[in-house]
Amino acid sequence: MMTEEGKEARRQKMETMAAAWEDPELTAFMEWLGEQGFTDIRLFISARRLVFLAVQCQELKRHEYGHSRMYIVEAAWKGEYCCAYASSLTDGSRAEIVRRLKETAGVYINREIPQGIAESKDFRGQRWREIDQEAVGESLMCAEREALSCEKAHFVEMCEYRQYEETVVLLDGQMHYLADDDGDCTVTVRVVAKDGDSVAVATKSGIADGGGWEAGPRDNTHDWHSRNQQEEFREIVCGLARRAAEDARLGLHAQRIASGRYPIVIENCVMAELTGHYLPMFYGENLMHHTSALAGKEHEQVGCDLLRLEEDPFSRKGTCRRRIDDEGTPVSKKALLRNGVFENVLYNSKSGDKAGDGSTGNGFKPDVTADIGTSATNVILSSEAGTCSREELLQSVREGIYITKIEGMFAGGSTESGDFSLLASGNRIIDGKLGGAVNQFTISGNICELWKDIEMIGDDPVYRMADRACVVSPSVKAAGLMVSGE
Amino acid sequence: MLAESCIERILDQAVSCGADYAEVFFENVERTRVDLVDSEVARCACGCESGIGIRVFRGLESEYLYSADVREECVLGLIRKHLGTGGVFGKRTPLSRFTPHGIVTQGKLPRDRKLKEKIGHLKEAVDAGKREEACIVQGRAYYVDADQRVQIANTEGVYAQDQRVRSRVRFMMTAAKEGGAGRQTGYIGPGAMQGPEFLESEEFLEYAREAARNAKGMLGARPCPAGRMPVIISNGFGGLFFHEACGHSLEGSAVASGCSEFAGRLGQKIASEKVTLIDDGSIAGEWGSLGIDDEGILTQKNVLIEGGVLKGYLLDRLNARRMGLKPTGSSRRENYRFAPAPRMTNTYIAPGPDRLADMIGSTERGLFVKNINAGSVDPVTGEFNFNTGETYLIEKGKITIPVMSATLIGTGGEILPRVDMVSDNFALGHGYCYAGSGQLPIGAGQPAVRITEMTVGGKEL
């Protein structure tokens, strides 16, 4: 009979997946699968935790906490590859796993049987910190007050903290293991500005360093409850709130703009979003199936000389911290574009084997129950030859548009052709200075043409998430883009 | 499923933290996903997932906990740790079972057909699509089915179980000119609250053929002209237009906080008198339907706009509480990992008196949008955008040439009064909606509708 302490310890161990490969329940499960007739068994376990806090009108409106887990089994059944998943290993779930494994055996053509793990390794390096909910809430309320104290700020629609952790463990039939983790904590503030009938909204989000997260081994000096940590967190959140309020104010009394072709400066967050949407153009399977605008253009000039796009899993500018991909292959730093030339393709095991190049450590699941696809870790857009300040970017434009927001990326951008047509808003640029706000126009073009037209690259990188990848980009200035307005 | 006594103990633990309302949501879902490229299975994911979500209200504040570990000791431990126990013990009405609407039109469950049989139907359909037009160079089918069983109980005595069986396929047929240049892809994505009968229906092969015809129709499409012009949006999934242009702005999350452009405007005229907008989650057999919402309230037909006048919002319990109104059976979530929120189900414009032929014939120059790919909206400002699929130019009252996908933009407040014709050829389309409480299956429908003028984004002036 388990004591209350024992039950609590087991619950915590389940949540944190401290050493899954030592869990007798897992060992028993693997053995049991073998007894059912499955061979070459490989288990992928994902455990996730989430904390979420939202403040509105100086009250803590929403608080959420949760953890979830998924077991994905790959094996061979009568020599054929098979796979299935379940969120637990109860008797009912086990029966369902077996049913589904047998059902999927033979549906793939020439799918490789899962490989064993050569050497056990633990790559985990993140440390979830239990936050002081009251202190985080206080900081969010402080940020809300900060935003509302700004000129024309009417309402703070969103002021949220989110902390997320995922631990992944790969196990083979001999209980060899590979373990890794990832996570971050972010803050998002969305401010509504109002002046008469005019309403404008701006959103800012950022990594909440000093929040409930710590990269690297636990250090006793990193204590959330310490005054320094709380002050640092408050500074970050209030800074985001002030910038959101200011950007919202700048968006008031937006006018329509005449259709035409304009020189543009694309704000960092917009460029990060655009770049992130087109990452699939670098994926091996899309190039091989000719569903990428870069198909057939390997080692060709697809961007300007100034342009560098690089995957760097080890960069602190991005939020991804993975050291192995979801197939257990080590991640690596690689240039996607160097001096505007298409240098490297991203492969998982399947696409890499097909290409004859092998995996580049980019085999990731688009969601935990899905089959392996391709993705990236931190992808950073930078300049090969010097950067400019935002003021310098603006000063280089006599009459143009500063794009601060885009919508419709999901369906408005084709990775097959590189074309895009998106709703946009921003500010006029008149004689090198920011002018009045403009909205309700579309920008249309092609990403490769945009890359070629880049003339200046800024020094103000920010990050945006693009599915599994984290894209970091500064603001850029490009020669021209088609705008449809009045 | 959980034993009723277990649910009662969980509710008791939840209200012991001083909450005035507590709710338990348990789900178990079996799901199959297949991605077929030509005749080959590119990806396949089959499995089951279960979990529990517990929500409490303290006045207008909410707390939400979820766990994949549904063992009673773990759930109670989670509640004790995160909600505490030190409050005034809240009240709980004894549970009373009720029966949801019977909206699943089927005789079989997804597990009653083997995976290889389903793949066989998909291959047959993809082949049919490829044979339909000689220019088709690739056929793709993305299929999903799910059997979701939920239990919902709360401290107001609600106790209900529901089963949602859904199937959907998305056919993508790619056409190319000789030599492989100028590729265009046609999409069709039907779904239903059905089991394997969906794959075995007579219409199934026809969906793939239609996607092939769409793709061929767009070969040789010219860049869409940009500017302001009349736009006719065809029936069916064209209803996504209103889903985005005003539907999200009528959901309680935006309205209750005063952030929606339609907040505080009940009883006011916000659209042309031709517009009647309805959201109905109780339609039997429809992809976006459910017998009870995810808070245990019966789904219902909600008239949101009638003859242009704003009649109602979509409200869940929390936002109804905030606004002093009744919930409308509109609370939904993707799964137990999400707290529920008011969301659309099957949203459509009611048929009107006009005829499509008259709409086109009376348009000097404009666009005819046969289908919409996707769109999004900011409920605060009402700014929306859409990307169109199969699109044609209208010139001198006739449909002429195909044009490449265009972006339609505007605000709900600007566009709704500009609907001047609504035809009688109603149809309902199927898709997904992505918002705060996750990805949800939705229906979006309408008859053909004309908007007198809106901004069209394209590459050519």
Side-chain angles (χ1 to χ4, degrees), chain A residues 7 25 71 129 141-142 196 212 293 300 368 391 418 430 432 455:
Chain A
K7 286 178 187 173
E25 190 185 38
Y71 300 89
R129 281 206 300 258
M141 287 184 223
C142 180
E300 287 183 19
V368 70
E391 287 65 39
I430 301 170
E455 294 176 343

Side-chain angles (χ1 to χ4, degrees), chain B residues 183-201:
Chain B
R183 293 161 76 107
Q184 293 286 342
T185 301
Y187 303 90
I188 294 285
M193 186 71 86
Q194 271 189 327
E197 294 89 345
F198 175 73
L199 286 160
E200 296 155 4
S201 66

Side-chain angles (χ1 to χ4, degrees), chain B residues 108-168:
Chain B
K108 303 279 181 213
L109 297 175
R111 61 162 47 218
D112 292 332
R113 290 288 181 274
K114 296 255 181 291
L115 178 62
K116 284 178 181 158
E117 284 182 62
K118 296 175 187 175
I119 292 173
H121 286 296
L122 293 171
K123 284 183 180 172
E124 192 186 348
V126 167
D127 287 343
K130 290 177 81 172
R131 282 195 305 270
E132 179 73 4
E133 301 289 352
C135 55
I136 300 296
V137 296
Q138 186 188 77
R140 193 163 185 162
Y142 184 73
Y143 169 80
V144 59
D145 68 40
D147 179 0
Q148 182 198 31
R149 298 170 200 223
V150 302
Q151 271 176 310
I152 302 163
N154 65 29
T155 48
E156 291 178 3
V158 166
Y159 180 48
Q161 298 187 73
D162 195 15
Q163 184 173 16
R164 297 125 179 210
V165 173
R166 290 193 176 93
S167 301
R168 186 182 186 235

Side-chain angles (χ1 to χ4, degrees), chain A residues 28-81:
Chain A
F29 172 65
M30 298 289 262
E31 284 172 358
W32 177 81
L33 275 179
E35 288 161 10
Q36 305 307 308
F38 297 98
T39 62
D40 304 283
I41 301 163
R42 187 143 139 157
L43 186 60
F44 178 96
I45 312 170
S46 163
R48 294 177 171 187
R49 280 200 285 184
L50 174 80
V51 163
F52 175 82
L53 294 166
V55 151
Q56 201 173 71
C57 299
Q58 294 295 285
E59 286 183 341
L60 183 63
K61 279 287 189 248
R62 280 169 58 198
H63 167 230
E64 297 179 12
Y65 175 87
H67 62 86
S68 60
R69 180 173 287 221
M70 201 62 73
Y71 300 89
I72 299 97
V73 181
E74 294 176 282
W77 172 252
K78 297 181 180 173
E80 303 264 22
Y81 173 88

Side-chain angles (χ1 to χ4, degrees), chain A residues 2 4 7-8 10-12 14-15 25 48-50 56 59-70 83-88 92-93 96-97 99-100 102-109 111 130 133 155 157 190 192 199-201 256 259-261 285 289-291 348 350 354 366-374 405 407-413 416 419-423 425 439-442 444-446 449 482-486, chain B residues 29-33 37 39-51 60-69 71 73-75 77-78 80-83 110-116 118-119 123 138 140 145 174 183-185 187 226-228 253-254 257-259 318 322 336-339 373-387 404-411 414 434 436 455-461:
Chain A
M2 202 178 278
E4 285 304 317
K7 286 178 187 173
E8 177 60 19
R10 185 172 75 172
R11 190 187 66 74
Q12 287 201 15
M14 283 285 289
E15 275 194 35
E25 190 185 38
R48 294 177 171 187
R49 280 200 285 184
L50 174 80
Q56 201 173 71
E59 286 183 341
L60 183 63
K61 279 287 189 248
R62 280 169 58 198
H63 167 230
E64 297 179 12
Y65 175 87
H67 62 86
S68 60
R69 180 173 287 221
M70 201 62 73
C83 60
Y85 68 83
S87 58
S88 68
S93 296
E96 185 64 11
I97 287 172
R99 180 178 82 87
R100 294 298 212 154
K102 290 178 180 174
E103 200 179 36
T104 56
V107 302
Y108 288 95
I109 299 171
R111 179 73 180 253
E130 297 295 336
Q133 183 182 319
F155 186 68
E157 194 205 351
R190 189 162 139 95
V192 179
V199 173
V201 186
R256 300 283 170 95
S259 300
R261 192 171 172 81
E285 65 263 30
H289 289 136
H290 296 278
T291 52
N348 56 32
K350 185 178 171 187
K354 220 169 175 176
D367 70 71
V368 70
T369 60
D371 205 348
I372 290 285
T374 309
K405 187 176 162 190
E407 296 283 353
M409 199 77 247
F410 177 69
E416 199 166 326
D419 289 341
F420 58 82
S421 182
L422 309 165
L423 171 65
S425 54
N439 71 352
Q440 286 292 296
F441 60 93
T442 67
S444 302
N446 181 283
E449 287 168 18
M482 181 60 72
V483 164
S484 309
E486 290 278 72
Chain B
V29 56
E30 293 176 9
R31 189 174 282 115
T32 297
R33 288 185 289 184
V37 179
S39 290
E40 195 175 318
V41 172
R43 299 206 167 92
C44 178
C46 305
C48 63
E49 185 178 2
S50 58
L60 298 180
E61 293 177 20
S62 71
E63 296 192 63
Y64 189 71
L65 307 176
Y66 67 83
S67 170
D69 188 341
R71 290 174 295 184
E73 74 228 39
C74 291
V75 176
L78 187 71
R80 275 194 293 271
K81 182 178 177 186
H82 292 279
L83 298 183
R111 61 162 47 218
D112 292 332
R113 290 288 181 274
K114 296 255 181 291
L115 178 62
K116 284 178 181 158
K118 296 175 187 175
I119 292 173
K123 284 183 180 172
Q138 186 188 77
R140 193 163 185 162
D145 68 40
T174 302
R183 293 161 76 107
Q184 293 286 342
T185 301
Y187 303 90
R228 289 183 70 78
S253 310
S257 58
C259 285
L318 184 60
R322 285 185 175 134
Y336 72 92
R337 293 192 290 274
F338 293 87
N373 286 339
S376 63
V377 67
D378 183 334
V380 174
T381 59
E383 289 177 324
F384 64 77
N385 66 92
F386 293 94
N387 182 263
M404 287 183 199
S405 64
T407 301
L408 309 178
I409 65 174
T411 64
E414 174 209 4
Y434 303 82
T455 303
V456 177
K459 276 187 165 179
E460 282 194 353
L461 291 178

